[in-house]
């Protein structure tokens, strides 16, 4: 009963402000930040679009058909040019984009053989 | 001001474990009086209190709140009768009447753990949508009245039994109800604290409040501020000092 | 109106106090939840952005590429096909393309060798992509050798490194002259890798493609739309790793929801009873639970999605890089342009916020409709 609680800033009351105040503030901040995502995306898209156009120009000039994102195998390097059934044929242990590739592993013998060649 | 007409309350009706806790009680209670319901364990005191306090509906019979209660308590949104039969009211009105008319003090105190004393006291006012500042001021005034100002920001689990009880009383008074209902309020208190509780009841009576207390503690039903003692046995009224 | 606001704000006050009480449980819930949203959001942002960028970049791709199929695989195409194709109505031009792969055992990478038709390179000189340059630490004027098909090797001078700005499409490119290309792969001048065809009216693309297949049954025309669509399916929201993430997230969700649904402890039930006994209505109690669910799921969503955005668009999806790179030795260094689909964000929002909030409310509903007198005996 004789415990002294130092005065807080809000109106000199020694009681803490209601909890909903920071919460509502955070909610507002959250909504604002979510909005900011879209604004930021818009602004950066705007500034990036010219370099994307330049990329398209390079693609046109070199007559490219694909992105150089996955260079591991030929059907991943040029997925749009790959023939329709190139499972396992580029690297026996490469990850498959066919669903069965994640179920069935290539035979150990094949893997050993390739290990020597690499 | 509160009338019970042939009120019956049964549990598990129609099943093998059917039990009638209150059996045909007719009773009328005046305003600004302290009434004690006494009786052995299992006699139906708690059940009777919950019926009076609009916490439960009777199986049959009628409960009527009468003139004598300030009108704004009975009809917060206006109304033109001086009598209201609570048994037939829909749930929503029942809640409304309950929180405006009755303040409950439970045997176990039933404070919410983990939140502060102040918040506990303020809780009953939240659904009414009063201004936060006003509610807080009123809660602090109540705590002050019970000598608990210093404990306002304490968590309830740190309180002693006597403190917890006074917090429970403060909470019961939060919406300034005309009727206080207390179920075995002294069960967890020593005799000194029990007398202190009865002093508080006397003070509330002086302020014009009505008190209905269920207890088999002689300290309660023999206290001098008690106006009337009603004995209950097996769900029926057995004796009445009035 | 003001009363109504004050009421729900007070209930919010109480909800927060009540959440703070179970700090540990709620914080861990928040962390798990943020992680789920972060993973899903990252995958979503990444795939959407790559898809859109691919479609913009590949606008420059050849309108039609014609491959020759032999034994089910593509094979060098005879130059003699060119004349036949040029004869088809609507075709403006048909030209050979020369490109292939070479394996560099020094770093274990595959390069794409290519003869640019619009850049004249003297024999013995090459231009390399920035990815190769970075990995091999080879720069302009340096030497680089390749193994020929006949077993010998040849040394080239690097004339230039292709601008790093175009790394996304050129990281592993080696540009060289036609003569050098044919020498490396021993490709006779009667054959090319494939053909590119220009068409007068884009509407006739399919018609021309059909005519090519009639005329030359062993060929396979690929039109630009198909190339773009390939990337649509590579970066499909339902495809590959995203499916796995989605399953994991769903599983986590089910566990959380189940925990919630069955997790209304005796204590919580008692509390609901007390609230009702002191004059709270069923709807007030449910409002507390609704706030609880909404607050946790909204903040998880917001934090998760913000982190995902930062991850993908400021840190180039660094956490996904291992999966994206796979076995690749060369990986382009590029900044992902934030193409964000508001519809997808909205879907993710509802997927995260609604089920969780419902899962929070439903069990409390049953507890909230109990008679308040139950607290008088406990
Ligand atoms: N929900 C219920 N279902 C079945 N029986 C009940 C229920 N509530 C109360 N009872 C029974 O009704 C009877 C009266 O109970 P009540 O709690 O009113 O007694 P009491 O006089 O308050 O007893 P105590 O002095 O022990 O508190 C008891 O026998 C009890 O078992
Ligand atoms: Mg009892």
């Amino acid at each position: 009963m004789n415990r002294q609680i130092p005065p807080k800033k809000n109106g000199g009351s020694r009681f803490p402000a209601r909890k909903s105040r920071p919460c509502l503030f955070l909610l507002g901040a959250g909504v604002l930040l979510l909005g900011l995502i879209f604004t930021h995306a818009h602004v950066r898209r705007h500034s990036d679009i010219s370099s994307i156009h330049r990329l398209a120009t390079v693609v046109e000039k070199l007559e490219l058909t694909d992105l150089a994102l996955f260079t591991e195998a030929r059907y991943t390097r040029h997925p749009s040019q790959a023939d329709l059934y190139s499972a396992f044929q580029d690297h026996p242990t490469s990850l498959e984009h066919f669903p069965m590739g994640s179920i069935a592993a290539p035979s150990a013998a094949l893997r050993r053989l390739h290990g020597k060649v690499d | 001001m509160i009338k019970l007409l042939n009120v019956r309350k049964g549990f598990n009706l129609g099943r093998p474990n059917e039990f009638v806790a209150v059996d045909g009680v007719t009773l009328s209670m005046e305003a600004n009086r302290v009434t004690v319901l006494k009786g052995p364990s299992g006699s139906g005191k708690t059940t009777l209190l919950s019926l009076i306090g609009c916490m439960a509906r009777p199986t049959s019979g009628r409960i009527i709140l009468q003139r004598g209660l300030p009108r704004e308590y009975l009809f917060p949104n206006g109304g033109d009768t001086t009598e209201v039969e609570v048994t037939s009211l829909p749930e929503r009105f029942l809640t409304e009447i309950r929180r405006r008319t009755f303040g409950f003090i439970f045997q176990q105190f039933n404070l919410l753990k983990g939140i502060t004393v102040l918040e506990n006291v303020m809780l009953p006012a939240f659904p009414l949508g009063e201004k936060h500042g006003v509610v807080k001021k009123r809660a602090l005034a109540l705590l002050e009245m019970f000598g608990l100002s210093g404990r306002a920001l304490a968590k309830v689990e740190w309180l002693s039994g006597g403190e917890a009880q006074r917090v429970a009383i403060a909470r019961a008074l939060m919406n300034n109800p005309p009727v206080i209902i207390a179920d075995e309020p002294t069960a967890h208190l020593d005799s000194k604290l029990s007398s202190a509780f009865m002093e508080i009841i006397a003070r509330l009576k002086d302020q014009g409040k009505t008190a209905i207390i269920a207890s088999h503690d002689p300290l309660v039903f023999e206290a001098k501020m008690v106006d009337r003692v009603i004995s209950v046995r097996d769900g029926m009224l057995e004796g009445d000092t009035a | 109106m003001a009363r109504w606001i004050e009421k729900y704000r007070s209930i919010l006050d109480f909800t927060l106090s009540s959440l703070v009480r179970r700090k540990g449980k709620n914080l861990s819930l928040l962390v798990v939840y943020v992680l789920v949203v972060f993973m899903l959001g990252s995958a979503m942002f990444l795939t959407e952005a790559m898809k859109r960028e691919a479609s913009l970049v590949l606008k420059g791709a050849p309108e039609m590429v014609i491959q020759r199929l032999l034994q089910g695989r593509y094979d060098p195409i005879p130059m003699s096909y060119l004349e036949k194709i040029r004869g088809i109505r609507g075709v403006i031009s048909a030209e050979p393309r020369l490109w292939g792969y070479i394996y560099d055992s020094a770093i274990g990478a595959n390069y794409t060798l290519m003869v640019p038709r619009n850049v004249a390179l003297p024999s013995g000189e090459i231009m390399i992509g920035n990815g190769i340059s970075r990995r091999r630490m080879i720069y302009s004027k340096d030497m680089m050798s390749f193994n020929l098909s006949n077993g010998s090797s040849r040394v080239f001078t690097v004339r230039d490194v292709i601008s790093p700005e175009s790394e996304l499409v050129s990281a592993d490119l080696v540009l060289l002259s036609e003569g050098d290309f044919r020498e490396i792969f021993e490709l006779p001048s009667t054959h090319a890798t494939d053909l590119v065809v220009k068409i007068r009216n884009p509407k006739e693309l399919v018609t021309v493609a059909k005519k090519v297949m009639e005329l030359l049954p062993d060929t396979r025309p690929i039109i630009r739309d198909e190339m773009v669509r390939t990337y649509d399916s590579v970066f499909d929201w339902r495809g590959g790793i995203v499916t796995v993430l989605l399953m994991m997230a769903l599983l986590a969700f089910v566990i959380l929801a189940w925990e919630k649904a069955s997790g209304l402890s005796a204590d919580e039930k008692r509390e609901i009873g007390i609230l009702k006994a002191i004059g709270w209505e069923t709807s007030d109690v449910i409002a507390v639970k609704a706030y609880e669910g909404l607050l946790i799921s909204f903040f998880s969503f917001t934090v998760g999605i913000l982190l995902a955005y930062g991850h993908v668009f400021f840190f180039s999806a660094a956490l996904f890089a291992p999966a994206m790179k796979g076995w690749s030795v060369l990986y382009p260094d590029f900044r992902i342009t934030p193409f964000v689909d508001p519809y997808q964000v909205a879907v993710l929002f509802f997927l995260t916020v609604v089920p969780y909030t419902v899962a929070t409310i439903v069990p409390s509903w049953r507890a909230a409709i109990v008679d308040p007198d139950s607290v008088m005996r406990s």
Side-chain angles (χ1 to χ4, degrees), chain B residues 11 46-47 49-50 55-56 91-92 95 98-99 104 106 108 110-115 119 123-124 126-132 171 183, chain C residues 2-4 6-8 10-11 13-14 17-18 21 267 270-271 274-282 284 371-373 375-378:
Chain B
F11 295 106
T46 301
T47 312
L49 279 188
S50 66
M55 291 256 224
E91 176 70 30
R92 201 155 46 87
T95 307
R98 185 165 70 234
R99 72 177 159 222
F104 292 92
F106 305 98
Q108 259 80 23
N110 278 345
L111 298 175
L112 293 197
K113 293 206 185 72
I115 63 174
E119 282 172 305
L123 273 181
F126 282 175
L128 299 176
E130 279 177 281
K131 277 240 166 309
H132 184 80
R171 186 180 66 183
D183 190 12
Chain C
R3 243 187 143 70
W4 185 82
E6 195 62 48
K7 169 176 171 173
Y8 283 100
S10 297
I11 293 179
D13 280 331
F14 172 70
S17 294
S18 160
R21 263 184 315 180
D267 264 358
R270 209 174 103 91
E271 259 186 49
I274 295 174
L275 288 175
K276 286 207 74 175
I278 61 174
W280 286 45
E281 277 169 45
T282 305
D284 301 334
D371 275 338
D373 72 319
V375 284
M376 296 193 74
R377 46 189 110 247
S378 48

Side-chain angles (χ1 to χ4, degrees), chain C residues 161-286:
Chain C
V161 176
I162 302 172
S163 152
E165 213 199 4
S166 64
E167 223 179 302
L168 181 59
V169 293
S170 66
D172 70 334
L173 284 190
V174 175
L175 303 181
L176 70 176
S177 71
E178 180 173 347
D180 293 342
F181 182 89
R182 291 194 186 278
E183 189 189 337
I184 289 177
F185 293 113
E186 290 189 330
L187 184 70
S189 57
T190 51
H191 284 76
T193 311
D194 51 25
L195 310 177
V196 288
V197 179
K198 272 209 182 73
I199 282 136
R200 190 177 306 126
N201 184 353
K203 281 186 196 144
E204 290 172 13
L205 262 171
V206 179
T207 329
V208 172
K210 273 186 193 145
K211 272 199 197 135
V212 170
M213 293 223 293
E214 264 170 41
L215 211 61
L216 305 161
D218 61 342
T219 59
R220 171 185 172 222
I222 303 164
I223 58 181
R224 184 158 57 200
D225 265 5
E226 290 175 314
M227 301 173 201
V228 174
R229 238 177 301 130
T230 305
Y231 282 87
D232 279 356
S233 61
V234 167
F235 294 113
D236 192 352
W237 168 225
R238 285 163 311 226
I241 200 149
V242 183
T243 321
V244 179
L245 286 174
L246 201 69
M247 297 296 269
M248 268 166 44
L250 273 177
L251 201 71
F253 241 164
V254 170
I255 292 171
L256 281 178
W258 187 80
E259 200 267 346
K260 272 274 166 186
S262 61
L264 208 58
S265 62
D267 264 358
E268 282 175 293
K269 277 190 196 132
R270 209 174 103 91
E271 259 186 49
I272 290 176
I274 295 174
L275 288 175
K276 286 207 74 175
I278 61 174
W280 286 45
E281 277 169 45
T282 305
S283 63
D284 301 334
V285 173
I286 288 169

Side-chain angles (χ1 to χ4, degrees), chain B residues 52-67:
Chain B
I52 293 170
C54 301
M55 291 256 224
R57 289 169 197 276
T59 311
S60 67
R62 299 197 297 157
I63 298 172
I64 294 156
L65 293 187
Q66 267 185 331
R67 213 214 275 272

